Amino acid sequence: EAMGMSCCEERERPRKSCAPVHANAGFAAGVLFALLVYFLVRQQTAISAATTAALAQWSTVKQLIRAPGETQLIKAPGEILVTSDVHRVADKQPIQDTDNGKVVCTTEDRSRGLSGTCEVEGDIRTNGTALSVSLVPASWSERHEWMISPYTRSGQSLRVVTVTQLQDRAAAPPCTVTHTMPAILFGIGGYVGNYWHEYADILVPLFVAARRYHGEVTFLVSNIQHMPRWLVKYRALLQGLSKYGVVDMDRDAYVRCFPRVSVGLRLDKDLSIVPELVPGARLTMADFTRFVRETYALPRGAVTMEPYKKPRLLLIQRATSRQFLNEPEIARAAEAAGFEVVVTELRHDGSEVEQARVVNSFDVVLGVHGAGLTNAVHLPPGGVLIQVVPYGKMEPMARFDFSEPATDMGLKYLDYSVSAEESSLLEKLGPDHPAIKDPDSIHRSGWTTMYQFYLMQNVRINTTRFAPTLEQAFNHLRKQ
């Protein structure tokens, strides 16, 4: 031991001699033993690390594998809604692209009151906190920026989406979640809560945007807090278009990476589809109503007239304005025309699927102009929509909302214009009031004035005058 200490001292001061043979042999043996322990520990660590990595990889794969056809349910309001087809890759470099990608945007159409949209392809990052979509170039690129409303109609109070084409990769935030599929970003707001607008402004445009992906698409939804129940009400339709849960963009803390993102929904025709403008593949409004029937498992895909069985007519009664004041008389007139008649008030806050099944069991829907006539999407093709148009030169607006859309659905469209004598306005205002004598002056006064007069009236239908319209509907069905 003393010799050992002396040797160490001698190693520090090599001028003196201290090199016994047996000490050198002991030192060599010690070095060999240390090396052996090192290699054994290293091998054990490597085996442990490999085992841990294998288990982690299997766990990740197991989380991503799902049974065929399995979908992730949309969560209840208030919960964060996150898709399951993701790979978390914190601190990992994004996928390199061979080009700079592209951004194609349409500008706001002020004449039609429609918002702009953007189609972004390439290395894309979405940020829910900033509500932004950024295209990351492979090499230096000129910076561009667009501000896009996620709701189809312009002038609504939704937070806008910032779409940016970055200059270079250094400006891009790192991906925390990477998706292998495209995404569609849209917002809930504006006129949502009105049944017609829910279909015209969101559901039909979303069908047009998403159908080409055959379910392999993620929905990024903003402004969910405006109406959380909307996601629950239309859960079946959303799941029919996407196999994955939606992402609540207002609560999403991740930077998500996608190969393609559509920002906003393009509205080409109200409550209908322009086949030539559909991306990917040609679609029609008849395709949309077929999708709704299949998703809701509605039994009737066409109107069929059975011998000795009367066609069924659903008379929609409104709860407040634009009511039928002589509903029993109208029902008797329809029965005299050959129909089996049911009068009902369709509630917007009821079950969407149950209401669709009720409407699908009828051949004709009859009602005064209003959102309830949107239920025509549930009628079997070959059916009839009869719109009663309130007094006050309301035909252009009423037909715009339902005439062509119904025809595009494969329905027969008929309308009946209420005369001044059939309107509650005549008794309320008198024959000399401008709303009776000069409807054009009311329209020139603006939407609010027009609404207060012509959309707040009730109607008492002259059934003798109405009879030919009922006959037209019956004759159409008899030919089916």
Side-chain angles (χ1 to χ4, degrees):
E1 191 175 32
M3 188 179 295
M5 290 294 293
S6 172
C7 185
C8 290
E9 293 170 0
E10 296 291 344
R11 285 171 61 87
E12 292 174 5
R13 296 186 295 272
R15 293 175 185 171
K16 295 184 179 179
S17 174
C18 181
V21 174
H22 64 273
N24 287 343
F27 178 78
V31 170
L32 288 173
F33 179 78
L35 288 172
L36 179 61
V37 170
Y38 171 78
F39 284 117
L40 286 173
V41 171
R42 185 176 181 183
Q43 184 177 15
Q44 183 65 30
T45 303
I47 292 171
S48 177
T51 303
T52 303
L55 288 172
Q57 184 178 12
W58 165 244
S59 177
T60 301
V61 171
K62 188 176 181 182
Q63 288 175 7
L64 294 174
I65 295 175
R66 295 177 298 165
E70 182 183 350
T71 60
Q72 179 177 327
L73 295 180
I74 295 170
K75 306 291 192 305
E79 293 187 55
I80 281 226
L81 313 175
V82 182
T83 63
S84 58
D85 183 40
V86 299
H87 307 273
R88 300 213 173 150
V89 288
D91 303 323
K92 182 178 177 181
Q93 286 297 317
I95 299 169
Q96 299 292 323
D97 200 350
T98 56
D99 57 34
N100 286 343
K102 63 178 181 179
V103 182
V104 179
C105 296
T106 62
T107 57
E108 180 181 349
D109 186 346
R110 295 183 182 276
S111 64
R112 295 180 60 205
L114 300 179
S115 301
T117 61
C118 282
E119 292 289 334
V120 190
E121 293 183 28
D123 182 2
I124 304 164
R125 317 293 165 87
T126 67
N127 185 320
T129 303
L131 196 56
S132 64
V133 175
S134 302
L135 175 64
V136 183
S139 57
W140 189 92
S141 175
E142 189 174 344
R143 190 180 191 279
H144 296 282
E145 188 173 281
W146 298 263
M147 307 301 287
I148 302 295
S149 170
Y151 184 70
T152 50
R153 299 189 189 274
S154 60
Q156 306 305 310
S157 57
L158 276 76
R159 194 160 59 121
V160 297
V161 182
T162 303
V163 179
T164 307
Q165 180 176 304
L166 300 176
Q167 281 186 325
D168 53 50
R169 305 194 70 83
C175 301
T176 53
V177 180
T178 297
H179 297 255
T180 59
M181 65 187 67
I184 299 173
L185 194 163
F186 65 94
I188 298 173
Y191 302 110
V192 167
N194 176 286
Y195 197 49
W196 185 88
H197 282 285
E198 289 178 349
Y199 272 87
D201 297 0
I202 299 182
L203 293 173
V204 175
L206 184 61
F207 172 80
V208 170
R211 196 60 168 171
R212 56 182 156 163
Y213 298 125
H214 307 289
E216 295 296 328
V217 62
T218 295
F219 294 151
L220 312 176
V221 186
S222 72
N223 206 38
I224 289 175
Q225 71 276 6
H226 174 78
M227 187 172 287
R229 286 196 70 258
W230 191 90
L231 290 176
V232 178
K233 179 176 182 177
Y234 295 109
R235 176 186 312 191
L237 296 181
L238 294 174
Q239 291 178 345
L241 293 173
S242 171
K243 298 176 183 177
Y244 310 96
V246 306
V247 175
D248 183 344
M249 286 297 283
D250 298 316
R251 300 186 180 189
D252 189 37
Y254 300 111
V255 174
R256 298 178 181 272
C257 293
F258 293 94
R260 181 187 182 103
V261 177
S262 299
V263 182
L265 298 173
R266 196 178 72 198
L267 199 165
D268 298 314
K269 186 177 181 181
D270 283 291
L271 197 60
S272 193
I273 296 171
V274 180
E276 296 76 19
L277 299 179
V278 175
R282 182 185 176 91
L283 292 171
T284 67
M285 192 60 184
D287 293 317
F288 174 77
T289 55
R290 185 184 304 110
F291 161 72
V292 173
R293 289 195 303 274
E294 291 173 354
T295 302
Y296 289 164
L298 304 184
R300 301 180 71 215
V303 165
T304 54
M305 292 292 289
E306 300 178 21
Y308 311 110
K309 188 174 181 180
K310 294 181 178 181
R312 305 185 75 217
L313 183 148
L314 178 65
L315 194 159
I316 299 176
Q317 179 64 293
R318 292 175 58 89
T320 54
S321 62
R322 284 167 273 160
Q323 289 183 310
F324 288 115
L325 297 177
N326 60 334
E327 165 203 304
E329 189 179 350
I330 298 168
R332 287 194 295 270
E335 289 170 348
F339 292 101
E340 175 191 340
V341 180
V342 174
V343 179
T344 189
E345 178 188 329
L346 296 176
R347 298 184 59 84
H348 180 61
D349 58 355
S351 167
E352 166 75 359
V353 177
E354 290 178 11
Q355 182 169 294
R357 287 174 181 160
V358 168
V359 175
N360 184 252
S361 69
F362 288 86
D363 304 293
V364 181
V365 165
L366 162 64
V368 182
H369 172 78
L373 296 184
T374 310
N375 281 283
V377 299
H378 308 308
L379 277 175
V384 182
L385 174 64
I386 304 176
Q387 176 173 213
V388 174
V389 182
Y391 178 73
K393 292 192 174 181
M394 299 295 290
E395 287 79 8
M397 185 185 77
R399 289 169 182 164
F400 179 84
D401 288 349
F402 293 109
S403 176
E404 282 196 43
T407 302
D408 293 344
M409 294 174 203
L411 305 175
K412 175 70 173 178
Y413 172 81
L414 299 170
D415 60 37
Y416 175 84
S417 295
V418 171
S419 66
E421 290 74 24
E422 295 172 290
S423 170
S424 62
L425 293 177
L426 182 62
E427 181 179 351
K428 179 181 179 180
L429 303 174
D432 296 326
H433 193 280
I436 302 299
K437 292 180 64 175
D438 186 12
D440 288 330
S441 67
I442 301 299
H443 285 272
R444 287 194 297 270
S445 299
W447 168 261
T448 302
T449 304
M450 184 273 293
Y451 184 94
Q452 289 173 347
F453 284 112
Y454 297 135
L455 293 181
M456 296 302 291
Q457 65 183 293
N458 295 317
V459 300
R460 186 181 301 277
I461 299 297
N462 181 331
T463 54
T464 302
R465 184 169 172 258
F466 187 49
T469 304
L470 292 170
E471 185 180 1
Q472 275 185 273
F474 186 84
N475 290 338
H476 167 78
L477 293 171
R478 193 166 54 182
K479 296 174 183 176
Q480 299 300 302

